[in-house]
Amino acid sequence: MKESIHIKNLGPIKDIFIDDIKPLTVLIGESGSGKSTLMKVVALFRWLYKMHNIHSYLKTSNVSKSLFNFNINAYFKNCGFEEYLKNDTEIIYTVEFSDNRKYTLHFVQNELTGTSDKNLIETQDLCYNKISFISETRNIIPLWSERGASLSGGYLGFYFHEVYNDFDLASENIKDLDINYLNLKLSVEKEQSIKKYYIQDPDKEYKLTLKNSSSGTQNAIPVSLIAEHFSKYFDFEEAFNRTLLNFLSKTDSLRDFKPVKNLGEIKKKLFIHIEEPELSLYPDAQCELINDLISKCFVSNKNTIDLMFSTHSPYIINHLNLLIKAHDCNKLIDGAKIEFEKIAVYLVEEGEIEDLVAKNQRIINTNALSDTINNIYDKYNQLDKDGRLIEE
């Protein structure tokens, strides 16, 4: 299965086309360059495609009624795109299979096409996906969970509540987790029906609640816990049956339902999207966190996972070259390696993207990320001994 996305004139994005979204896709660029916008669009259209798969499955399974109303304006509002939409905004998301069968969701002139009964997905191509978006607001999770996630009137936005739900579900299955790159251990305990999250350094006698830990720890823990859950514990069958039963019950269609395909025969994949996984971490810890993520998603995983993340860190981009080399040498770096053909790295700049993968050399070209250091070095050399810039 091959995915592509083409986005024109949406917020900071002028014209971005990714012909083949790789299993590991990394976006780097300045604040406001459009990294998160691009990733949110990909996540949204992956979710729309998932819903269209379920819609197609129900239709071909003799369920005439449908609860699906692809209200694209409501979805854009959830994503915070209301102010980004323009008269000439256009988004084309395509999924293509090896024998040239393809399905396209097309947003143009404020309308979404490709989700009608005339465009049903063929039975052989049906898939069930889980889409997770780990937003930068995850640092609120420790305080939110400490209060039982029940602050009166407390709505903190679509993406926060999505990531909190994934975090809460993950902590139902995982009660202890070693966070080796921080030399910490996470433990989940229930106290008076409220889950408490503690971290402890093996070298120290005391433990802290997650809300009192460092900012780097508060940002990193949800990332590792959710990734661990989806890597090893997420139950596709339970999630699929829950979704299906919910729809069939609401439409009173249980008696009509004659499944065209069993879940075991349907393609399944997890998509994890992360805003700046490195938030508040020292460079060494940034790289070790990436090792942990890539190990969970591509090495020790039981479920098939695609990973996309945005970053400001040139350390991470340089570190990916080490993991590519590790794969070529059939070695692991802290349990991680990545196949060159599975990775894409894009510099997002001025509403467009530049592919940084140098395919003829099997490396990521990081020259464009060295400009700031080079500029500092040039200015350093220009200063004379009195601290004045030497005039050219």
Coordinates of all heavy atoms in Angstrom, one line a residue, residues 2-6 45 48-49 52-53 90-97 100-108 111-116 118-121:
K2 N 0.6 2.2 -0.9 CA 1.3 3.4 -1.0 C 0.4 4.6 -0.8 O -0.7 4.7 -1.3 CB 2.0 3.5 -2.4 CG 2.6 4.8 -2.7 CD 3.1 4.8 -4.2 CE 3.6 6.2 -4.6 NZ 3.9 6.2 -6.0
E3 N 0.9 5.5 0.1 CA 0.1 6.7 0.4 C 0.8 7.9 -0.3 O 2.0 8.0 -0.3 CB 0.1 7.0 1.9 CG -0.7 6.0 2.7 CD -0.5 6.5 4.2 OE1 0.6 6.2 4.7 OE2 -1.5 7.0 4.7
S4 N 0.0 8.9 -0.7 CA 0.5 10.2 -1.1 C -0.4 11.3 -0.6 O -1.6 11.1 -0.4 CB 0.6 10.2 -2.7 OG -0.7 10.2 -3.3
I5 N 0.2 12.5 -0.5 CA -0.6 13.6 0.0 C -0.1 14.9 -0.8 O 1.1 15.0 -1.1 CB -0.4 13.9 1.5 CG1 -1.4 14.9 2.0 CG2 1.0 14.2 1.8 CD1 -2.7 14.4 2.3
H6 N -1.1 15.7 -1.2 CA -0.8 16.9 -1.9 C -1.7 18.0 -1.3 O -2.9 17.9 -1.3 CB -1.1 16.8 -3.4 CG -0.6 17.9 -4.3 ND1 -0.8 18.0 -5.6 CD2 0.1 19.0 -3.9 CE1 -0.2 19.1 -6.1 NE2 0.4 19.7 -5.1
F45 N -6.6 12.8 7.2 CA -7.0 12.1 6.1 C -6.8 10.6 6.2 O -7.5 9.8 5.6 CB -6.3 12.7 4.8 CG -7.1 13.9 4.2 CD1 -7.1 15.1 4.9 CD2 -7.8 13.7 3.1 CE1 -7.8 16.2 4.4 CE2 -8.6 14.8 2.6 CZ -8.5 16.0 3.2
L48 N -10.0 9.8 8.0 CA -11.1 9.8 7.1 C -11.1 8.6 6.2 O -12.2 8.0 6.0 CB -11.0 11.1 6.2 CG -11.3 12.4 6.8 CD1 -11.0 13.6 5.9 CD2 -12.8 12.5 7.3
Y49 N -9.9 8.1 5.8 CA -9.8 6.9 5.0 C -10.2 5.7 5.8 O -10.8 4.8 5.3 CB -8.4 6.8 4.5 CG -8.2 5.6 3.5 CD1 -8.8 5.6 2.3 CD2 -7.4 4.5 3.9 CE1 -8.7 4.5 1.4 CE2 -7.3 3.4 3.1 CZ -7.9 3.4 1.8 OH -7.7 2.3 1.0
H52 N -13.9 5.7 6.0 CA -14.4 5.2 4.7 C -14.3 3.7 4.5 O -15.1 3.1 3.9 CB -13.7 5.9 3.5 CG -14.3 5.7 2.2 ND1 -15.7 5.7 2.0 CD2 -13.7 5.4 1.0 CE1 -15.9 5.4 0.7 NE2 -14.7 5.3 0.1
N53 N -13.2 3.1 5.1 CA -13.1 1.7 5.1 C -14.2 1.0 5.9 O -14.8 0.0 5.4 CB -11.7 1.3 5.6 CG -10.6 1.2 4.6 OD1 -10.4 0.1 4.0 ND2 -9.9 2.3 4.4
E90 N -6.6 23.2 -1.4 CA -6.9 21.9 -2.0 C -6.0 20.8 -1.3 O -4.9 21.0 -1.1 CB -6.6 21.9 -3.5 CG -7.0 20.6 -4.2 CD -6.8 20.7 -5.8 OE1 -6.2 21.7 -6.2 OE2 -7.2 19.8 -6.5
I91 N -6.7 19.7 -1.1 CA -5.9 18.5 -0.5 C -6.3 17.3 -1.2 O -7.5 17.0 -1.4 CB -6.3 18.4 1.0 CG1 -6.0 19.7 1.8 CG2 -5.5 17.2 1.7 CD1 -6.5 19.7 3.2
I92 N -5.3 16.5 -1.6 CA -5.6 15.2 -2.3 C -4.8 14.1 -1.6 O -3.6 14.2 -1.5 CB -5.1 15.3 -3.8 CG1 -5.8 16.4 -4.5 CG2 -5.4 14.0 -4.5 CD1 -5.3 16.7 -5.9
Y93 N -5.5 13.2 -1.0 CA -4.9 12.0 -0.4 C -5.2 10.8 -1.1 O -6.4 10.5 -1.4 CB -5.4 11.9 1.1 CG -5.0 10.7 1.8 CD1 -3.8 10.6 2.4 CD2 -5.9 9.6 2.0 CE1 -3.4 9.4 3.1 CE2 -5.6 8.5 2.7 CZ -4.3 8.4 3.2 OH -3.9 7.2 3.9
T94 N -4.2 10.0 -1.5 CA -4.4 8.8 -2.3 C -3.8 7.6 -1.7 O -2.6 7.7 -1.2 CB -3.9 9.0 -3.7 OG1 -4.5 10.2 -4.3 CG2 -4.1 7.8 -4.6
V95 N -4.5 6.5 -1.7 CA -3.9 5.2 -1.3 C -4.0 4.3 -2.5 O -5.0 4.1 -3.2 CB -4.8 4.5 -0.2 CG1 -4.3 3.1 0.1 CG2 -4.7 5.4 1.1
E96 N -2.8 3.8 -2.9 CA -2.7 3.0 -4.1 C -2.1 1.6 -3.8 O -1.2 1.5 -2.9 CB -1.7 3.7 -5.1 CG -1.6 3.1 -6.4 CD -0.8 3.9 -7.4 OE1 -0.4 5.0 -7.0 OE2 -0.4 3.4 -8.5
F97 N -2.7 0.6 -4.4 CA -2.2 -0.8 -4.3 C -1.4 -1.2 -5.4 O -1.3 -0.6 -6.5 CB -3.4 -1.7 -4.0 CG -4.1 -1.4 -2.7 CD1 -5.1 -0.5 -2.6 CD2 -3.7 -2.1 -1.6 CE1 -5.7 -0.2 -1.4 CE2 -4.3 -1.9 -0.4 CZ -5.3 -0.9 -0.3
N100 N -2.3 -1.1 -9.2 CA -2.8 0.2 -9.7 C -4.2 0.5 -9.3 O -4.8 1.5 -9.8 CB -2.7 0.3 -11.2 CG -1.3 0.3 -11.7 OD1 -0.4 0.9 -11.0 ND2 -1.0 -0.4 -12.8
R101 N -4.8 -0.3 -8.3 CA -6.1 0.1 -7.7 C -5.8 1.3 -6.8 O -4.9 1.2 -6.0 CB -6.8 -1.0 -7.0 CG -7.3 -2.1 -7.9 CD -8.1 -3.1 -7.1 NE -7.5 -3.5 -5.9 CZ -6.6 -4.5 -5.8 NH1 -6.1 -5.1 -6.9 NH2 -6.1 -4.8 -4.6
K102 N -6.6 2.3 -6.9 CA -6.3 3.5 -6.0 C -7.6 4.1 -5.5 O -8.7 4.0 -6.2 CB -5.4 4.5 -6.7 CG -6.1 5.2 -7.9 CD -5.2 6.3 -8.4 CE -3.8 5.8 -8.9 NZ -3.1 6.9 -9.5
Y103 N -7.5 4.7 -4.3 CA -8.7 5.4 -3.7 C -8.2 6.8 -3.3 O -7.2 6.9 -2.7 CB -9.2 4.6 -2.5 CG -9.5 3.2 -2.9 CD1 -8.5 2.2 -2.7 CD2 -10.7 2.8 -3.4 CE1 -8.8 0.9 -3.0 CE2 -11.0 1.5 -3.7 CZ -10.0 0.5 -3.5 OH -10.3 -0.8 -3.9
T104 N -9.0 7.8 -3.7 CA -8.6 9.2 -3.5 C -9.7 9.9 -2.7 O -10.9 9.9 -3.0 CB -8.3 9.9 -4.8 OG1 -7.3 9.2 -5.5 CG2 -8.0 11.3 -4.6
L105 N -9.2 10.7 -1.7 CA -10.1 11.6 -1.0 C -9.6 13.0 -1.4 O -8.4 13.3 -1.3 CB -9.9 11.5 0.6 CG -10.2 10.1 1.1 CD1 -10.1 10.1 2.7 CD2 -11.6 9.6 0.7
H106 N -10.5 13.8 -1.9 CA -10.2 15.1 -2.5 C -11.0 16.2 -1.9 O -12.2 16.2 -1.9 CB -10.5 15.0 -4.0 CG -9.9 16.2 -4.8 ND1 -10.2 16.3 -6.1 CD2 -9.2 17.2 -4.4 CE1 -9.6 17.4 -6.6 NE2 -9.0 18.0 -5.5
F107 N -10.3 17.1 -1.3 CA -11.0 18.3 -0.7 C -10.7 19.5 -1.6 O -9.5 19.9 -1.8 CB -10.5 18.6 0.7 CG -11.0 19.9 1.3 CD1 -12.3 20.0 1.8 CD2 -10.3 21.1 1.2 CE1 -12.8 21.2 2.3 CE2 -10.8 22.3 1.7 CZ -12.1 22.3 2.3
V108 N -11.7 20.1 -2.2 CA -11.5 21.3 -3.0 C -12.8 22.1 -3.0 O -13.9 21.5 -2.9 CB -11.1 20.9 -4.4 CG1 -12.2 20.2 -5.2 CG2 -10.7 22.1 -5.2
E111 N -15.4 21.2 -0.3 CA -16.1 19.9 -0.4 C -15.2 18.8 -0.4 O -14.1 18.9 -1.0 CB -17.1 19.9 -1.6 CG -18.2 20.8 -1.5 CD -19.2 20.6 -2.7 OE1 -18.9 19.7 -3.5 OE2 -20.2 21.3 -2.8
L112 N -15.6 17.7 0.2 CA -14.8 16.4 0.2 C -15.5 15.4 -0.6 O -16.6 15.1 -0.5 CB -14.7 15.9 1.7 CG -13.9 14.6 1.8 CD1 -12.4 14.8 1.6 CD2 -14.1 14.0 3.2
T113 N -14.7 14.9 -1.6 CA -15.2 13.8 -2.5 C -14.4 12.6 -2.3 O -13.3 12.6 -1.8 CB -15.2 14.2 -3.9 OG1 -13.9 14.5 -4.3 CG2 -16.1 15.5 -4.2
G114 N -15.0 11.4 -2.7 CA -14.3 10.1 -2.6 C -14.8 9.2 -1.5 O -14.3 8.1 -1.3
T115 N -15.8 9.7 -0.8 CA -16.3 8.9 0.4 C -17.8 8.4 0.2 O -18.4 7.9 1.1 CB -16.3 9.8 1.7 OG1 -17.1 10.9 1.5 CG2 -14.9 10.1 2.0
S116 N -18.3 8.6 -1.0 CA -19.7 8.2 -1.3 C -19.8 6.7 -1.6 O -18.8 6.0 -1.7 CB -20.2 9.0 -2.5 OG -19.6 8.6 -3.7
K118 N -20.6 5.4 -4.2 CA -20.1 5.1 -5.5 C -18.6 4.8 -5.5 O -18.1 4.3 -6.5 CB -20.4 6.3 -6.5 CG -21.9 6.6 -6.7 CD -22.0 7.8 -7.7 CE -23.5 8.1 -7.9 NZ -23.7 9.2 -8.8
N119 N -18.0 5.2 -4.4 CA -16.5 5.0 -4.3 C -16.1 4.1 -3.2 O -15.1 4.2 -2.6 CB -15.9 6.4 -4.0 CG -16.2 7.5 -5.1 OD1 -17.0 8.3 -4.8 ND2 -15.7 7.4 -6.2
L120 N -16.9 3.0 -3.0 CA -16.6 2.1 -2.0 C -15.3 1.3 -2.2 O -14.9 1.1 -3.4 CB -17.8 1.0 -1.9 CG -19.1 1.5 -1.4 CD1 -20.1 0.4 -1.4 CD2 -19.0 2.2 0.0
I121 N -14.6 1.0 -1.1 CA -13.4 0.3 -1.2 C -13.6 -1.2 -1.4 O -14.5 -1.8 -0.8 CB -12.6 0.5 0.1 CG1 -12.2 2.0 0.2 CG2 -11.3 -0.3 0.1 CD1 -11.7 2.4 1.6

